[in-house]
Amino acid sequence: MPLLGRLLHGFRAGDGRSPLTGPDYAGAETIDVTSPAFTDGGAIPRKHAGKGVGDNVSPALQWTGVPANAEQLVLIMDDVDVPLPKPLVHTIAVIEPAIDGLGEGELKPGTTGVRLVKAYGDTYLGPRPIPGHGPHHYRFLMFALSERVPDGVADTTALLRAMAGHVLARGALTGTYER
C-alpha cells in the first residue's frame, strides 16, 4: 500500500478546488477555532485518526467570534490532500449557535444541539490517508450562517446550496496526519 501512496504523491485536490473557497462561502467576520488536542498546523493525535488507524474519536473543539445574529453554525471537516478532483468531506455537523464547543468524542449522532449531515459518512470519520502519500491537511471549518439549515438537508450538495450566500463568519483549524 505505501507504493500506491508514493505513486500518487503528486496528486492532491488542493484547497483551491474546494467549493468552500468561493465567494458564496466567505464571511465578513472571523471565527477562531481551537483544540486542546493539536495546534493549528500541528499533527492530529492518532487517537483521533479513523477506524483501523486510530480510535476514531473526534477531538475536542472550541470556537469564539460567532456573530450574535448567527442563526446556525456548520462544522465541516475535509481532507484537502486526497488524490481526487476536490477535497474529500469527512464530517458535517449543523450546530445550534449557542454552543461554543464540543468535547472529545461529541461529534457524533445524539449529541445535544448537533445534527450530523451525510458526507463521507454520517458520523465523525477521522483521518485515514493513503499510506506513503505524505502528510494530509485536515481542516475543521466553522461557518456562522444568517439562516437556519432546513431539517430536510441530508447531504453535502444540499448543505452547500443551503449555506451559499448566508455565511456571516468563518474560521478554520487545520491539523495534519500521515501514515
Side-chain angles (χ1 to χ4, degrees):
M1 194 69 145
L3 176 61
L4 178 61
R6 285 194 300 274
L7 290 172
L8 293 173
H9 185 72
F11 297 98
R12 293 173 184 271
D15 181 32
R17 291 187 173 173
S18 171
L20 298 170
T21 60
D24 282 343
Y25 304 100
E29 298 180 48
T30 302
I31 298 172
D32 185 37
V33 184
T34 60
S35 176
F38 61 96
T39 59
D40 192 41
I44 297 171
R46 183 178 180 153
K47 177 180 192 173
H48 305 298
K51 291 179 184 175
V53 176
D55 297 332
N56 202 45
V57 174
S58 62
L61 298 168
Q62 294 86 38
W63 47 88
T64 58
V66 172
N69 60 335
E71 292 290 323
Q72 196 107 71
L73 302 175
V74 173
L75 175 68
I76 297 175
M77 178 195 164
D78 68 2
D79 175 356
V80 298
D81 293 309
V82 68
L84 294 172
K86 62 184 180 180
L88 177 66
V89 175
H90 279 240
T91 305
I92 299 173
V94 176
I95 303 170
E96 292 303 316
I99 296 174
D100 63 1
L102 294 171
E104 184 176 85
E106 289 188 342
L107 195 50
K108 64 181 180 184
T111 299
T112 302
V114 177
R115 175 171 51 101
L116 286 138
V117 173
K118 187 165 180 59
Y120 191 65
D122 57 0
T123 189
Y124 173 76
L125 290 175
R128 195 175 166 187
I130 299 169
H133 195 241
H136 280 219
H137 294 81
Y138 294 86
R139 301 182 303 178
F140 292 82
L141 300 157
M142 177 62 72
F143 298 88
L145 305 180
S146 61
E147 292 188 9
R148 293 187 64 78
V149 174
D151 289 339
V153 168
D155 62 31
T156 305
T157 303
L159 177 81
L160 293 177
R161 269 195 305 260
M163 288 175 57
H166 301 292
V167 177
L168 298 170
R170 67 180 281 167
L173 172 67
T174 302
T176 62
Y177 199 84
E178 181 175 5
R179 297 191 338 175

